Amino acid sequence: MDQLLFERSTGNVPAGLFARLHTTKLLNSFRPAPGFRFDGGERLVATPVAVPSGQSDDGHAAFSIWAHQAGVNALALERFDGRILISGGSDATIKIWDLEQCGNPNPAYTYRPVSSVARAGQPPQPLSAARRGTEAGLTARPSTSTSPTGPVDKAAGHRFGITHLSFYPFDSDAFLSCSYDQTLKLWSTRNARVSGTFDLGAKVYTHAISLIASHLLVACGTQHPAVRLVDLRSSAAVQSLISPGQLGGSAGANLAVAWSPVHEHVLASGSVDGAVRIWDIRKSNGLIGLLDQEDSLGILHPGRAPPPGTFPEGTLQARGIRQSARAHHGPVNGLTWTDDGEYIVSAGHDRKIRVWSSATGANTLANFGPTIRNRHVGSLGSCMLVSPTGLTSVKKEILVFPNETEILIMDLHEGTIITRLRGMGPGMAAVRAGRGGERTVKNRLTSVVWRGAGGFAGSSGVVMGGRTSAGGLYSGHLDGQIRVWMPQLDGLDNEDEDEASQEVADARAKKRKVLDDAFKSLMGRQITFS
């Protein structure tokens, strides 16, 4: 780092290159940050055995804290300041967190929600840590959290588990949520109140809203084979995207949807039949392309199109696209674009990740190896991330992939693994169930969000991190925890050492004494030469 700073000060390294080199180093150095925890204010399912001072026999705390004791299903982080984090639980609750509660990113800190939304038909959960401590028989401690102001509408929340969360693209004061209760809801972030509800008549697995479009259409992936488009202006489901042969066929549910970051009317969707479809919502038919895993040439290759007159003009077959083309040999539940719109990344139950050229539809044949695990039926829409354009050199983007019980940091185009982030907690976890009971679930990663806005009103660029940190990843897990992963900063290598440890102090004193004795013996001895 010192050499890089010297080259920058002498003008040998331009400012943009310096930023990319430094952020690339940060991206390659993520590690767990267990000191940061998220306390949703929920008590244990069963009251723990009374232990003096809240300590167990092994010296650890006799109670645990959770963001959502029933499990965290979804996360969303606003992209303007990288400050507001929203989490959705398996129990249909939503909680809002302020990441700048902690002004210093170095010491350990426990976050508490600033507001929450209870499950429909139930009163809001208490957010006071003092009240929670009193009820559990533990020592009360102060809390900075506050409850939403005014009366709470018990019918406003979701009835079943949250499946996906996202912020309104142009203003962090609003966010969207969808659930297994077949609804999409629009919320006010400031007071955690619902602004609109859309009943889609089928389980909603994921949704997406364009970051650049002038329209306010929300694409929803549901149990229905058609992609549903909801217009926030008219408060209606205005359009369904369906291709020939889907209805009554084997297409099944849509598990992934993603808008193009450069073309406001272009949408990609992934379904249970293994197909990734590209849509233009302005067209009556809508379907303009299918990604084919057997095609590494693309639709612009001279020899691909059939002879004129073979197929009706304007159809997919006339452009050399097979109607039966499939992107994966299993359901496609992960779909995202790079920030510059040049590539589409898809993931399926065939344990494959594929990178496609968005201009030609060609499979780039990037090989991510046999370590990929992807068996969950739900969407990976809030899990699979590509580093923003500008943080790294050209074609050196980083792919963040949730590998069930670990996070893989990989080279997007080479497929090589850069870092494995482990430490996800127990393999099996007891979580809260209905009516005060509990159930055992297999703990896995459910969502990952990127904190990289840097306070500059955009997620792209050569700046990494929020205002109070150098960036990071926040992951949600079925054991109810939100975990934090931070890059390794220069000058912090020795912080893991326990300076106050008596053993370390004794060892250093012993070494110092040995050196002093050797020095004194040499200096006090007269040496003669014959």
Side-chain angles (χ1 to χ4, degrees):
M1 184 62 186
D2 292 338
Q3 179 64 28
L4 187 58
L5 288 172
F6 175 76
E7 296 292 341
R8 173 69 184 94
S9 62
T10 57
N12 293 332
V13 176
L17 178 59
F18 172 82
R20 283 192 294 272
L21 291 174
H22 184 56
T23 52
T24 300
K25 180 180 179 181
L26 293 178
L27 286 170
N28 295 344
S29 64
F30 278 108
R31 65 175 184 176
F36 296 99
R37 304 192 67 186
F38 289 79
D39 184 0
E42 301 179 35
R43 296 185 293 110
L44 287 169
V45 174
T47 303
V49 178
V51 180
S53 301
Q55 296 292 318
S56 62
D57 295 336
D58 59 0
H60 293 86
F63 63 96
S64 298
I65 61 175
W66 302 267
H68 296 266
Q69 194 175 345
V72 180
N73 275 8
L75 294 177
L77 182 62
E78 57 97 2
R79 69 190 187 100
F80 294 97
D81 295 323
R83 175 175 182 174
I84 304 174
L85 177 70
I86 299 178
S87 61
S90 300
D91 56 357
T93 61
I94 298 175
K95 294 177 181 177
I96 302 175
W97 315 79
D98 182 1
L99 297 183
E100 292 191 3
Q101 283 181 349
C102 174
N104 187 345
N106 294 323
Y109 188 81
T110 299
Y111 292 95
R112 294 176 176 84
V114 296
S115 58
S116 70
V117 177
R119 182 178 178 179
Q122 295 184 1
Q125 301 172 359
L127 296 179
S128 171
R131 177 179 175 182
R132 177 176 57 80
T134 302
E135 292 178 351
L138 305 170
T139 303
R141 59 184 186 273
S143 172
T144 58
S145 61
T146 58
S147 299
T149 58
V152 177
D153 182 2
K154 295 182 181 180
H158 288 286
R159 293 184 295 114
F160 303 132
I162 307 298
T163 56
H164 190 76
L165 294 167
S166 68
F167 273 94
Y168 189 72
F170 313 115
D171 191 350
S172 60
D173 286 340
F175 68 92
L176 294 157
S177 67
C178 59
S179 166
Y180 290 118
D181 64 5
Q182 305 183 4
T183 62
L184 172 76
K185 291 180 182 289
L186 177 66
W187 300 85
S188 168
T189 308
R190 290 184 180 274
N191 53 25
R193 291 177 179 273
V194 67
S195 302
T197 300
F198 308 89
D199 191 350
L200 299 180
K203 290 181 180 179
V204 187
Y205 294 111
T206 186
H207 67 267
I209 185 167
S210 176
L211 300 179
I212 63 168
S214 57
H215 61 72
L216 295 180
L217 296 177
V218 182
C220 300
T222 70
Q223 275 184 316
H224 195 274
V227 178
R228 303 292 297 277
L229 298 181
V230 175
D231 190 350
L232 297 182
R233 284 197 179 98
S234 63
S235 301
V238 296
Q239 189 176 353
S240 294
L241 302 177
I242 192 79
S243 65
Q246 276 190 271
L247 288 177
S250 59
N254 284 285
L255 302 178
V257 288
W259 290 94
S260 167
V262 293
H263 302 290
E264 64 175 345
H265 297 101
V266 175
L267 174 74
S269 66
S271 58
V272 170
D273 63 353
V276 174
R277 296 175 172 86
I278 311 298
W279 309 87
D280 187 336
I281 62 172
R282 298 170 297 180
K283 297 180 178 293
S284 58
N285 183 16
L287 184 65
I288 60 174
L290 285 163
L291 299 182
D292 190 346
Q293 61 183 325
E294 299 178 8
D295 176 26
S296 61
L297 301 177
I299 59 175
L300 301 181
H301 190 269
R304 173 163 180 171
T310 306
F311 297 99
E313 186 177 355
T315 61
L316 296 180
Q317 295 89 336
R319 290 185 288 139
I321 301 176
R322 297 188 305 149
Q323 193 69 40
S324 60
R326 293 294 179 266
H328 292 268
H329 288 301
V332 179
N333 63 338
L335 206 58
T336 188
W337 299 67
T338 57
D339 269 6
D340 55 9
E342 291 190 7
Y343 297 96
I344 304 173
V345 186
S346 64
H349 282 195
D350 56 358
R351 301 177 62 181
K352 300 291 184 182
I353 299 175
R354 293 193 167 92
V355 181
W356 313 82
S357 169
S358 61
T360 65
N363 182 0
T364 63
L365 303 180
N367 184 10
F368 293 87
T371 61
I372 303 301
R373 288 176 291 174
N374 181 10
R375 295 171 293 181
H376 180 53
V377 177
S379 172
L380 295 181
S382 59
C383 293
M384 195 167 59
L385 308 173
V386 178
S387 61
T389 303
L391 286 186
T392 61
S393 302
V394 178
K395 290 195 175 181
K396 290 295 181 181
E397 293 89 351
I398 303 299
L399 174 67
V400 180
F401 184 78
N403 208 35
E404 292 193 355
T405 57
E406 62 182 356
I407 299 176
L408 297 181
I409 310 293
M410 299 180 288
D411 187 295
L412 178 64
H413 300 282
E414 298 295 333
T416 55
I417 297 177
I418 299 173
T419 309
R420 290 176 181 264
L421 299 180
R422 293 172 173 171
M424 303 292 181
M428 301 295 293
V431 301
R432 182 184 294 274
R435 298 183 179 180
E438 64 178 18
R439 59 191 177 96
T440 302
V441 298
K442 183 177 180 181
N443 184 25
R444 63 174 176 80
L445 187 67
T446 58
S447 54
V448 179
V449 292
W450 164 269
R451 189 182 187 189
F456 289 91
S459 60
S460 299
V462 296
V463 177
M464 178 175 170
R467 292 179 179 178
T468 58
S469 74
L473 297 171
Y474 295 77
S475 59
H477 305 260
L478 279 187
D479 64 353
Q481 302 292 334
I482 297 176
R483 293 182 169 87
V484 185
W485 315 85
M486 294 287 188
Q488 174 67 54
L489 300 179
D490 293 325
L492 299 180
D493 294 337
N494 297 326
E495 287 191 358
D496 293 335
E497 298 182 8
D498 187 3
E499 299 290 345
S501 173
Q502 188 63 36
E503 294 181 0
V504 174
D506 292 344
R508 290 182 176 177
K510 185 176 180 180
K511 290 180 181 179
R512 189 178 298 110
K513 185 177 183 301
V514 171
L515 291 174
D516 289 343
D517 291 344
F519 178 77
K520 291 178 180 179
S521 65
L522 290 174
M523 296 300 294
R525 180 182 302 173
Q526 184 176 1
I527 301 176
T528 60
F529 299 91
S530 58

